Amino acid sequence: NGGVHVIQAFLSEEESEEIQIQGRTARQGKKGSYQMILLNSDLEEKFGLAKDWKDNNAKKDWYDCLSNAREKHRDAVCEKIEANLAVATEKDCNTHRYFDALLARDKNAASNIFSD
């Protein structure tokens, strides 16, 4: 058909990345083709899919299963980022309190904050 055949060998963490990869198939107005070839071990390790996930779902539902796994993975990543951000925010507040105590020449407060 004149376009390029692109094989994606990993499940993108973001659907937008997958769409961009699919868009690489067309060349000079000629439609190309696209397919995914994925290792179950990668899907298990990164996205938490069971070894038999394909056996438990109709072939027409496979992509939906992959999309759901991707969404759960993204949600878990976001939760981890938010937890890390909360810890970093707390440390930042303590740092500001420490420097405020130093600027106020309050050695006891600075020492207590530093000890915490």
Side-chain angles (χ1 to χ4, degrees), residues 57-93:
N57 294 283
K59 189 171 185 175
K60 65 179 181 61
D61 298 328
W62 286 1
Y63 188 78
D64 288 337
C65 291
L66 293 172
S67 292
N68 290 337
R70 175 179 24 224
E71 186 175 333
K72 286 179 185 176
H73 173 73
R74 185 179 57 244
D75 289 347
V77 168
C78 287
E79 285 178 20
K80 187 174 182 179
I81 289 170
E82 288 176 6
N84 290 341
L85 180 60
V87 170
T89 300
E90 183 179 345
K91 288 179 179 181
D92 182 61
C93 288

Side-chain angles (χ1 to χ4, degrees), residues 29-105:
K30 296 180 180 175
K31 190 174 182 177
S33 55
Y34 167 87
Q35 75 183 111
M36 294 175 98
I37 299 176
L38 307 172
L39 288 173
N40 272 338
S41 59
D42 290 347
L43 298 174
E44 286 176 53
E45 184 179 315
K46 189 163 188 175
F47 295 97
L49 284 170
K51 285 183 182 184
D52 61 350
W53 72 273
K54 289 192 292 185
D55 298 335
N56 297 328
N57 294 283
K59 189 171 185 175
K60 65 179 181 61
D61 298 328
W62 286 1
Y63 188 78
D64 288 337
C65 291
L66 293 172
S67 292
N68 290 337
R70 175 179 24 224
E71 186 175 333
K72 286 179 185 176
H73 173 73
R74 185 179 57 244
D75 289 347
V77 168
C78 287
E79 285 178 20
K80 187 174 182 179
I81 289 170
E82 288 176 6
N84 290 341
L85 180 60
V87 170
T89 300
E90 183 179 345
K91 288 179 179 181
D92 182 61
C93 288
N94 288 338
T95 300
H96 284 276
R97 287 180 40 236
Y98 174 71
F99 281 110
D100 288 344
L102 288 176
L103 290 172
R105 297 180 191 268

